[in-house]
C-alpha cells in the first residue's frame, strides 16, 4: 500500500448520500434511531444514579448525537483535525459513561467510533482511532475472551467493508458523472455539427442560385452596354427570374432534405439535366440508398458543374455520369468545350472550392480541370 493510500480520504462521493437507495437510507436512519434509543434507555433506566444523574446522562447522549453528526459533516469536508477532535470527544463521553455506570451506552459508542473511523477517515488516522475504541471495548466487556475477540474482529471487518462499499459507490458516481458529461458533450457536438450542416446546405443553395442569376443579369448588363435589342435583354432578365424561381424551389428541396424527405438522386439529376440544353445523364452500377450528406454533395456538384458550363462554355454538350461502386459513388461531369461566353470574365467564384471542402468533410475528393475536349469535374465520396 502506497503512502498516498494511507493518507488519502475517501472521496466526497463515497462519504455523501448520493447514490444510496431510499430503502438503504431508511435502514440507516432506523439503525441510528435504534442506537440513540438504546443510549437513552440506558441513561434513564439505570438504578445506579439518581434522577438528576439520569437527566445529565440524557444530556450527554444528546451531546454524543451532536458530536456524531458533526463528525459526519467534517469528514465529508475532509477536515482532519476537527474530525479527530469530535471522535475524541465521543470516546471521552464513552469513558465518562462507563465510569458513571452506563455500561451499555459506553459499549455502543466505542463500537460506533471504531466502525465510523474505518469507514470515513484516512487509513493512517482510522487505524489508531479504531484500535483505541476496540481496546476500550475489549477491556470493559465481560464476555469470554473468544467472544470479545470475535466481536472486535467483526467490528473491524464491518468498518473496512463499509469503507470498500462507500468507495465503490463513489467510483460509480464519478463514472456516472463522467458518462453524463460525455453524453452532454456528444449531444452538443452533434447539435453543432447539425447546425453546420444546415448552414452549409443553405449556403450552397443560395450560392448556386445567386450565381446562376448573376450569370444572366451580367449578360443583360453587357447586352445593354452594347445596345442590343430589347428581346435579347428581356430574354436574359426572364432567365434570371427563372433562376430565382428555381432557387426558391431548391431551397424548399434543401429544407425537405434536412427533414429526410429527399427525392431519389437519379430523378433529381434527370431534372437538372432536362433543364439544360445539350446535356445527358447515365447511371451505372447497383443503385442503393445514400446518406443525406452524400446525396446532397452529389446534387450540389452536379448543379455547380452545369452552372459553370452555362457560364464559361455556353452551347457545349455535357455528359453527366453517376457510378455506384462497391464502397464509393462517383459523379463525373464533362463538357465538349465551346466558344467562351460573354460571362467568362465575370469571375470564377468559389463554388467548386466549396464543393471540394464538402467532399473532403465526407472523406472523399473532388477534381476539376480541363481535359482533352473541354472541362471535367469528378466527385468521389465513400458510400
Amino acid at each position: 500500500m502506497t503512502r498516498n493510500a494511507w493518507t488519502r480520504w475517501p472521496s466526497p462521493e463515497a462519504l455523501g448520500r448520493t447514490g444510496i437507495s431510499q430503502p438503504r437510507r431508511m435502514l440507516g436512519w432506523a439503525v441510528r434511531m435504534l442506537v440513540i434509543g438504546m443510549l437513552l434507555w440506558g441513561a434513564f433506566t439505570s438504578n445506579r444514579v439518581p434522577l438528576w444523574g439520569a437527566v445529565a446522562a440524557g444530556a450527554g447522549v444528546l451531546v454524543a448525537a451532536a458530536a456524531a453528526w458533526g463528525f459526519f459533516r467534517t469528514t465529508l469536508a475532509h477536515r482532519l483535525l476537527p474530525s479527530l477532535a469530535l471522535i475524541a470527544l465521543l470516546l471521552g463521553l464513552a469513558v465518562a459513561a462507563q465510569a458513571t455506570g452506563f455500561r451499555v451506552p459506553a459499549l455502543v459508542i466505542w463500537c460506533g467510533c471504531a466502525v465510523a473511523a474505518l469507514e470515513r477517515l484516512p487509513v493512517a488516522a482510522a487505524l489508531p482511532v479504531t484500535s483505541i475504541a476496540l481496546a476500550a471495548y475489549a477491556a470493559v466487556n465481560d464476555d469470554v475472551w473468544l467472544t470479545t475477540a470475535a466481536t472486535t474482529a467483526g467490528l473491524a471487518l464491518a468498518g473496512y467493508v463499509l469503507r470498500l462499499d462507500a468507495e465503490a459507490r463513489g467510483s460509480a458516481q464519478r463514472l456516472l458523472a463522467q458518462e453524463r458529461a460525455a453524453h452532454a458533450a456528444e449531444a452538443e457536438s452533434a447539435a453543432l455539427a447539425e447546425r453546420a450542416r444546415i448552414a452549409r446546405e443553405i449556403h450552397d443553395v443560395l450560392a448556386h442560385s445567386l450565381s446562376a442569376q448573376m450569370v444572366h443579369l451580367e449578360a443583360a448588363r453587357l447586352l445593354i452596354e452594347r445596345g442590343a435589342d430589347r428581346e435579347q435583354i428581356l430574354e436574359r432578365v426572364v432567365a434570371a427570374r427563372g433562376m430565382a424561381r428555381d432557387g426558391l424551389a431548391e431551397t424548399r428541396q434543401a429544407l425537405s432534405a434536412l427533414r429526410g424527405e429527399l427525392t431519389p438522386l437519379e430523378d433529381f439529376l434527370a431534372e437538372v439535366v432536362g433543364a439544360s440544353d445539350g446535356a445527358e445523364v447515365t447511371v451505372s452500377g447497383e443503385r442503393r440508398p445514400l446518406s443525406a450528406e452524400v446525396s446532397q454533395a452529389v446534387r450540389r456538384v452536379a448543379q455547380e458543374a452545369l452552372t459553370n458550363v452555362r457560364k464559361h462554355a455556353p452551347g457545349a454538350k455535357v455528359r453527366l455520369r453517376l457510378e455506384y461502386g462497391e464502397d464509393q459513388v462517383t459523379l463525373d461531369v464533362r463538357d465538349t468545350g465551346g466558344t467562351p461566353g460573354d460571362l467568362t470574365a465575370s469571375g470564377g467564384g468559389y463554388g467548386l472550392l466549396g464543393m471540394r471542402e464538402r467532399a473532403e468533410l465526407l472523406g472523399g475528393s473532388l477534381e476539376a480541370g480541363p481535359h482533352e475536349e473541354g472541362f471535367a469535374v469528378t466527385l468521389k465520396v465513400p458510400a
Side-chain angles (χ1 to χ4, degrees), residues 15-38:
L15 297 177
R17 298 177 182 178
T18 305
I20 301 178
S21 63
Q22 187 66 25
R24 185 169 175 177
R25 289 187 182 184
M26 295 178 63
L27 178 61
W29 279 108
V31 171
R32 294 186 184 98
M33 293 299 103
L34 178 61
V35 170
I36 293 176
M38 291 176 59

Side-chain angles (χ1 to χ4, degrees), residues 31-273:
V31 171
R32 294 186 184 98
M33 293 299 103
L34 178 61
V35 170
I36 293 176
M38 291 176 59
L39 295 175
L40 292 173
W41 178 262
F44 285 102
T45 60
S46 176
N47 296 322
R48 301 179 182 180
V49 294
L51 180 60
W52 66 266
V55 174
V61 171
L62 296 179
V63 172
W69 179 84
F71 174 76
F72 276 78
R73 299 300 300 176
T74 54
T75 52
L76 181 61
H78 291 178
R79 299 172 61 190
L80 182 60
L81 291 180
S83 300
L84 292 178
L86 288 170
I87 204 165
L89 174 61
L90 288 170
L91 293 175
L93 290 173
V95 172
Q98 175 67 26
T100 54
F102 297 101
R103 178 173 172 274
V104 173
L107 294 177
V108 171
I109 293 176
W110 278 322
C111 293
C113 287
V115 174
L118 272 179
E119 180 185 5
R120 304 184 67 85
L121 288 175
V123 175
L127 289 180
V129 172
T130 301
S131 300
I132 293 172
L134 292 180
Y137 168 83
V140 302
N141 190 27
D142 54 5
D143 293 332
V144 296
W145 70 269
L146 186 59
T147 302
T148 301
T151 302
T152 55
L155 290 171
L157 181 61
Y160 187 66
V161 169
L162 288 175
R163 183 188 188 92
L164 293 180
D165 177 71
E167 287 287 8
R169 187 179 69 252
S171 298
Q173 289 300 313
R174 289 193 298 273
L175 289 176
L176 180 61
Q178 292 173 2
E179 183 178 0
R180 288 175 177 172
H183 286 169
E186 183 179 357
E188 183 178 0
S189 177
L192 292 175
E194 182 65 13
R195 291 173 186 172
R197 188 171 78 92
I198 293 173
R200 189 166 55 248
E201 294 297 336
I202 300 302
H203 169 269
D204 289 344
V205 169
L206 293 178
H208 168 74
S209 175
L210 294 176
S211 175
Q213 292 176 55
M214 284 298 299
V215 168
H216 292 285
L217 291 176
E218 182 67 12
R221 184 187 68 81
L222 294 175
L223 289 173
I224 292 174
E225 290 180 353
R226 295 173 184 176
D229 58 18
R230 181 175 179 276
E231 294 298 327
Q232 289 179 313
I233 298 173
L234 181 61
E235 179 182 355
R236 291 297 184 177
V237 173
V238 170
R241 186 187 63 177
M243 289 298 173
R245 184 174 58 250
D246 294 341
L248 289 176
E250 290 174 10
T251 301
R252 296 190 188 99
Q253 187 178 43
L255 294 176
S256 298
L258 294 173
R259 292 193 296 265
E261 301 173 359
L262 281 170
T263 58
L265 178 58
E266 295 80 8
D267 296 344
F268 174 83
L269 294 179
E271 293 177 3
V272 171
V273 168

